Amino acid sequence: MREGREEEERQAIENERQARITRLEGLGIRRRFYEATFDSYIATNDGQRRALEVCLDYAKRKGEVVETGESLFLIGLPGTGKNHLAVSILREWGRGWIVKLSEMVRNIRRSYSDGSSEQERIDSFARLPLLILNEVGVQFGTEAESNLVFEVLDLRYENMLPTVVISNLNIQGIKDFIGARVIDRLLENGQVLEFTWESYRKRGR
């Protein structure tokens, strides 16, 4: 009987683990960031503490952010915790999607071969309650890519839906890549956080 209870407990723990993974993957969160939360973010300097404060505030003000469509730009050096904080916001909300810009473009372009509508796929990203667009500027940046991204972001702006942009570029670089008009629109009601400190990855070497 004891062995039976222990097996049931193990199975319950495993079921809970799988359910948790399913929830995270349903938000677009990958395995490396399963444990990324505000509590696990290490802030040892003023810049990191401010980044944590701003992102935590953004997450806690979900109702206001949804009402106003406030955007957030996490920009700066690689390996400085931008993804960690973005995932933490998404986990706090429990709704939305984090996706690399290149993956979003490929997803939209898939409509060319599977018989679906390009506009339907654009709308699926444009209507998300929260879109976190990662690795903006890593791609080649063709005019066709820029046009697709512009349309998604412009629709989100018009529908007052919040967007978080993650990039190693500065704001001008993002404008050059996507287009100044739509980025300026997002900045009308948005915040910019610059991540200028040393990479966490370098410390572990």
Side-chain angles (χ1 to χ4, degrees):
M1 289 180 64
R2 184 173 62 200
E3 289 178 355
R5 285 196 300 273
E6 289 175 349
E7 177 57 30
E8 288 178 1
E9 290 173 359
R10 281 195 294 270
Q11 188 60 50
I13 292 171
E14 176 59 20
N15 290 343
E16 184 177 341
R17 188 183 75 86
Q18 288 298 332
R20 173 174 170 270
I21 290 173
T22 299
R23 287 194 301 271
L24 293 174
E25 292 183 345
L27 298 170
I29 298 172
R30 305 273 171 82
R31 182 179 177 184
R32 182 172 295 279
F33 295 99
Y34 282 174
E35 306 304 323
T37 65
F38 287 121
D39 288 339
S40 63
Y41 181 79
I42 300 172
T44 59
N45 62 51
D46 289 342
Q48 291 166 341
R49 283 187 282 271
R50 169 163 168 71
L52 176 59
E53 178 184 347
V54 169
C55 290
L56 184 56
D57 175 69
Y58 187 87
K60 295 295 186 184
R61 291 189 297 107
K62 177 181 176 181
E64 178 185 341
V65 169
V66 169
E67 181 67 24
T68 63
E70 180 182 335
S71 296
L72 181 63
F73 288 77
L74 308 181
I75 65 173
L77 300 176
T80 49
K82 298 187 295 293
N83 280 278
H84 187 127
L85 288 173
V87 166
S88 300
I89 292 170
L90 186 55
R91 290 178 70 141
E92 188 78 19
W93 281 38
R95 298 179 64 211
W97 186 259
I98 181 169
V99 63
K100 294 178 182 178
L101 186 147
S102 59
E103 291 176 347
M104 184 181 77
V105 170
R106 284 198 301 270
N107 183 289
I108 295 171
R109 285 179 168 171
R110 210 168 290 141
S111 64
Y112 306 157
S113 59
D114 67 6
S116 61
S117 160
E118 178 183 282
Q119 191 60 51
E120 287 175 353
R121 287 179 176 261
I122 289 172
D123 288 344
S124 70
F125 288 101
R127 293 172 179 163
L128 287 166
L130 175 65
L131 174 63
I132 299 179
L133 204 53
N134 196 7
E135 294 192 359
V136 173
V138 172
Q139 309 70 233
F140 179 67
T142 65
E143 185 176 353
E145 281 184 347
S146 297
N147 289 339
L148 289 175
V149 178
F150 174 91
E151 188 164 354
V152 169
L153 295 182
D154 194 49
L155 282 170
R156 295 188 64 79
Y157 167 79
E158 290 181 348
N159 289 310
M160 297 179 68
L161 290 168
T163 304
V164 175
V165 175
I166 306 172
S167 180
N168 294 338
L169 301 176
N170 59 23
I171 287 296
Q172 186 58 52
I174 296 173
K175 288 182 180 182
D176 292 342
F177 182 78
I178 296 176
R181 183 171 52 161
V182 72
I183 298 304
D184 284 339
R185 289 177 178 178
L186 295 181
L187 288 171
E188 285 175 12
N189 184 31
Q191 300 185 69
V192 178
L193 265 179
E194 295 188 55
F195 291 64
T196 58
W197 44 89
E198 181 185 15
S199 169
Y200 289 110
R201 297 169 197 154
K202 291 181 179 178
R203 295 180 195 171
R205 293 176 182 173

